[in-house]
Amino acid sequence: MRLQDKVAIITGAARGMGASEARIFANEGAKVILADIQVEDGNHVTKEIIDAGGQALFVEMDVSSQADWDRTIEAAISNFGKINVLVNNAGIIERDSLEETTEETWDKIMAVNAKGVFLGTKAVIPHMRAAGGGSIVNISSISGMISVGYPAYNSSKGAIRVFTKCAAVELARDNIRVNSIHPGTIWTSMSTYKRAFTREERAKTIPMQRVAEPEEIAYPALFLASDESSYMTGSELVIDGGATAE
Ligand SMILES: NC(=O)c1ccc[n+]([C@@H]2O[C@H](COP(=O)([O-])OP(=O)(O)OC[C@H]3O[C@@H](n4cnc5c(N)ncnc54)[C@H](O)[C@@H]3O)[C@@H](O)[C@H]2O)c1
């Protein structure tokens, strides 16, 4: 029960890593708000959590919309009374080179991946302050640290990396901790989206010779969300099977 009595909002919780985080956080005692644009999958994961004895609520929302954040925060407060944890996990990708990237693609990726994290972080501040502190976990990527060839996606993830440090410093006196996670390749619907190679081919390029499962990010996110990481803020956790160490 590492998140006993905590209330956690997880964006992009209908699928992939977000769904895994929602299940694990609820299993550790958190009341979880699953926030996503995918209604069917979001409701499915929420029902699974409730059927297993957990507390959860699904909110249909788009992280790039201020109005949707207002509704999500309102739902968290009216149903669970407070907010202790936010995982800014929702994200989208296009595997376009610099010359293939259109203005529309650039704006869309920045709106969801970078602006979404800004809006979410700003929205929870008064509630975390009122709760005496909190933990915000931002899902960036190793693509926010090195070039892997997708300029719009990588730039949005780089924005999350440095935004995390700005927020961590500004909010440290309020006992609100802000950290980023930098996954390598995790096998989800995002990793298969327009991917030109197979899981096995990808695995061969990684020192550990395998890609990761969503749980291998969700457990480190649990650690950052919980009081176990109480002196960590502005940190970046690289979880990539050794990819960036090479
Ligand atoms: N899969 C990887 O290899 C990998 C590696 C590094 C970082 N990441 C990051 O991890 C996060 C989770 O990715 P995943 O692999 O689980 O992907 P996924 O596609 O399986 O899940 C992403 C979720 O975000 C939701 N989402 C998309 N746009 C949204 C919006 N505007 N508002 C609300 N929800 C929205 C989707 O509906 C989906 O449920 C993303 O931020 C991604 O960039 C993924």
Side-chain angles (χ1 to χ4, degrees):
M1 287 293 170
R2 295 160 69 186
L3 293 179
Q4 184 80 54
D5 297 328
K6 307 256 194 208
V7 177
I9 299 175
I10 303 173
T11 68
R15 291 184 186 160
M17 290 180 230
S20 178
E21 284 149 12
R23 291 191 190 98
I24 289 171
F25 283 23
N27 203 36
E28 292 291 339
K31 296 167 187 164
V32 181
I33 292 96
L34 295 92
D36 206 295
I37 46 173
Q38 297 287 343
V39 178
E40 201 179 318
D41 288 354
N43 278 325
H44 178 74
V45 179
T46 307
K47 185 175 180 307
E48 248 181 47
I49 292 172
I50 294 169
D51 289 350
Q55 294 193 66
L57 176 78
F58 176 69
V59 179
E60 179 184 1
M61 64 88 79
D62 177 343
V63 292
S64 64
S65 157
Q66 178 67 61
D68 284 11
W69 271 109
D70 293 344
R71 278 193 305 103
T72 305
I73 300 294
E74 164 57 26
I77 296 297
S78 59
N79 283 276
F80 298 135
K82 59 177 183 166
I83 301 166
N84 306 106
V85 172
L86 168 65
V87 184
N88 281 311
N89 163 78
I92 54 171
I93 193 168
E94 286 300 337
R95 300 186 198 284
D96 294 339
S97 70
L98 173 53
E99 288 193 277
E100 289 163 351
T101 302
T102 62
E103 182 181 4
E104 189 191 17
T105 297
W106 177 275
D107 286 347
K108 191 172 173 209
I109 289 180
M110 284 295 171
V112 175
N113 294 5
K115 184 174 124 182
V117 172
F118 155 65
L119 291 179
T121 301
K122 194 173 171 190
V124 298
I125 293 170
H127 302 282
M128 289 192 173
R129 211 176 259 143
S135 175
I136 300 172
V137 182
N138 294 331
I139 308 299
S140 175
S141 171
I142 58 169
S143 309
M145 311 173 97
I146 56 167
S147 166
V148 285
Y150 313 124
Y153 180 76
N154 287 28
S155 301
S156 73
K157 292 296 177 180
I160 296 172
R161 183 188 189 195
V162 77
F163 172 78
T164 298
K165 296 183 197 310
C166 295
V169 170
E170 189 168 323
L171 302 174
R173 284 171 183 76
D174 292 309
N175 196 31
I176 300 171
R177 300 184 297 104
V178 194
N179 294 287
S180 56
I181 291 183
H182 302 261
T185 303
I186 320 302
W187 215 249
T188 65
S189 53
M190 177 178 283
S191 35
T192 52
Y193 175 71
K194 295 187 187 169
R195 178 74 91 186
F197 39 81
T198 65
R199 179 176 181 143
E200 289 68 33
E201 285 163 345
R202 181 76 185 140
K204 284 188 195 129
T205 69
I206 298 167
M208 285 185 76
Q209 296 289 292
R210 66 176 182 85
V211 300
E213 301 300 332
E215 292 68 32
E216 295 181 280
I217 302 301
Y219 278 109
L222 168 65
F223 165 68
L224 288 177
S226 79
D227 295 338
E228 293 162 16
S229 57
S230 53
Y231 199 55
M232 280 178 79
T233 198
S235 295
E236 43 194 62
L237 213 49
V238 175
I239 306 167
D240 66 354
T244 51
E246 210 172 21

